[in-house]
Amino acid sequence: QLGLNLVKDHPEAYLSRSIAVVEELKPFALAGNDIEYANLLWSVGKECRTQKAYAKALKFHTISLSYSDQLPANYIGLMESNYFLEDYRAAYHYSKELIRLHYPSEKRAYEIAIDCALKSNMEGDAIAMMKIYLEKWESAYYQRLIPKEYAF
């Protein structure tokens, strides 16, 4: 990690070295049961997102999931990568995991999922989530978005 910190001021070099570290450690990783390796993959995916390389980020976040599904931040990475690649249905799929995990908070997870559902043209899902949201928190914006025939 110290070596990686030395190149952090140079994002391309940092990403390149991070990928090399992931490859070096891969033979020692345990698929399906290695949260440390999953976390390392997640951090590479996060750096890719920072550099707006969303397709590459999605690759690392997807691989991370295959090593551990117990890393809540990885679901943000999967959702965000898909979102910026305009695969809103996939983004919505992962946003539902955020709700299940209450990550990064329950409120924020619902806001993310509602946005993904709306972008996916899944109006029924979006309305159902907005209703749940409004039972817990106030939002004039969501109240306006719910069609009158679906209002409380």
Side-chain angles (χ1 to χ4, degrees):
Q1 189 68 29
L2 178 60
L4 291 175
N5 287 336
L6 295 175
V7 294
K8 190 116 184 184
D9 292 335
H10 306 287
E12 296 81 19
Y14 176 74
L15 182 57
S16 177
R17 182 64 189 132
S18 296
I19 292 169
V21 168
V22 162
E23 289 303 316
E24 289 169 23
L25 294 176
K26 185 176 182 178
F28 307 103
L30 301 170
N33 190 26
D34 196 332
I35 197 161
E36 290 86 5
Y37 191 67
N39 192 55
L40 183 60
L41 289 159
W42 166 81
S43 69
V44 173
K46 182 179 179 188
E47 183 60 31
C48 291
R49 286 185 289 127
T50 298
Q51 295 184 28
K52 299 188 183 339
Y54 297 109
K56 189 182 282 189
L58 181 58
K59 173 187 158 194
F60 284 101
H61 289 302
T62 301
I63 296 169
S64 175
L65 189 59
S66 73
Y67 283 90
S68 177
D69 61 359
Q70 301 300 309
L71 194 60
N74 195 48
Y75 290 103
I76 288 275
L78 288 160
M79 181 280 304
E80 188 175 276
S81 297
N82 279 292
Y83 190 93
F84 284 108
L85 291 169
E86 298 182 1
D87 186 347
Y88 300 118
R89 285 195 178 261
Y92 176 61
H93 169 76
Y94 292 113
S95 73
K96 291 189 292 185
E97 287 298 310
L98 298 175
I99 289 173
R100 182 180 67 79
L101 297 166
H102 294 185
Y103 189 83
S105 69
E106 183 181 16
K107 182 179 181 185
R108 185 66 186 127
Y110 270 100
E111 293 166 349
I112 290 167
I114 290 166
D115 183 48
C116 290
L118 290 170
K119 289 277 193 183
S120 299
N121 295 315
M122 300 176 80
E123 185 178 286
D125 287 11
I127 290 169
M129 285 186 292
M130 283 188 265
K131 285 182 166 186
I132 293 168
Y133 185 97
L134 291 169
E135 288 173 2
K136 299 176 182 216
W137 307 283
E138 291 184 22
S139 172
Y141 176 69
Y142 289 152
Q143 286 177 333
R144 283 192 307 271
L145 285 181
I146 296 177
K148 293 197 185 319
E149 63 268 20
Y150 297 106
F152 293 98

